[in-house]
Amino acid sequence: MTTKSMAVIGAGTMGRGIAQVFAQSGYEVYMHDTVPAAIESATKTIGKLLNRAVEKERITADEAAATQKRIHAVPTLSDIGRHSLIVEAVIENPEIKIGLLQAAQPMVTDGGILASNTSSISITQLAAAVERPDRFIGMHFFNPVPVMKLVEVVRGLQTSDETVKQTIEIAEEVGKTPVECNDHPGFISNRVLMPMINEAVFALQEGVAEAEAIDEIMKLGMNHPMGPLALADLIGLDVCLFILEVLHRDLGEDRYRPCPLLRKMVMAKRLGRKSKHGFYRYD
Ligand code: CAA
C-alpha cells in the first residue's frame, strides 16, 4: 500500500484542524509554519483533542498515538517534501498567500493540487499567480475543522474539471461533505453568513438588545448552534471585518458595509476568542 501524504501551510486554527483531519484519515501530514510557537501550540491542541477522543472511547490510545505520529512539524517551507496535495491556510492577506503559494508550487507532484483555504480572497486571483492555475482550487474548511462536515470547493475561472473532481474525492475520503460553488466574493458561505453577523453587530450598536439576548434569540428561534455574536468571536472579528470589506468592495453594495462597532472592536484588538475578549470574555 502506498503512503498518502499532504502538506498544510499555516498551523493556526484552520491549519491545525486540517492537519488533524488528514492525519486521522491515514495521511502523513507535513505542517509548516514560520512561527515555531504556532507549530508547538498546534501539536499540543491536536494532542488534547485526540486524548479527548480516547477518553470518549471513539478511538483507541494506539490510534491517537499513530495519528499524532503522522503529523510532522516542518519549520522551513522548502523541507515539506513533494505531495499530491498542498493546502495553504495562512492569514487572509493576498500578498502573503501569493508569496507562500509561489514558494510551495514546486513541491506539488505532477498532476497534484495546490489549494487555498481562503474564506474570501478570489481563487481566480490567487490562481493567476501560480504556474498551474488549472490545478489550483479553493478548499474551504469550517471552524472547528474536526467537527464541521462541510468543505466548500471553490472553482476558479481556470480550475480544471479534473481538479474539481479530485478535490471532491479527497474531501470525501477524509470524511467531509464537499459542496461545489464558483469563485465569487465571499463564495456562498460568507456571502450569506457575514451579512447576518454584521446585522447582529448593528443591532447591538443601536441598542436593540444586549449581546446575550441577540444570540439567544437566534439560537432558540432559528435553531442555530450558537448566536451570531458568539460565532463572530469564534471566527475572529478581524476575519469577519476583512470578509465584509471584500464583499463591500467587490460586490459594490452598501448592504455589505461593515458595522462601525465591528471596526472599533478590531481597532481595540478585541478580536474574539483568540484575544480572550470580543463580544464576550473568555477567561
Ligand atoms: N476544536 C475541535 N473540536 C471542538 C472544538 C474545537 N475548537 N470546539 C468544540 N469541539 C467539539 C467538542 O470537543 C465536542 O466534541 P465531542 O462531542 O467529541 O465531545 C463537540 O465539538 C461539541 O462541542 P461542545 O459540546 O463543547 O459544544 P457545542 O455542542 O456547543 O458545539 C460547536 C460547539 C461545534 C462549535 C457548535 O456550537 C457549532 O457548530 N457552532 C457553529 C460553528 C460554525 O458555524 N462554524 C463555521 C464558522 S464560519 C468558518 O469557519 C468559515 C469562514 O470562512 C469564516
Side-chain angles (χ1 to χ4, degrees), residues 52 56 58 119 140 142-144 147-148 190 226 231 235:
R52 207 181 135 103
K56 295 205 155 191
R58 293 210 177 106
S119 50
H140 186 202
F142 291 78
N143 185 12
V147 179
M148 305 295 285
N190 283 317
M226 64 206 309
L231 181 56
I235 294 168

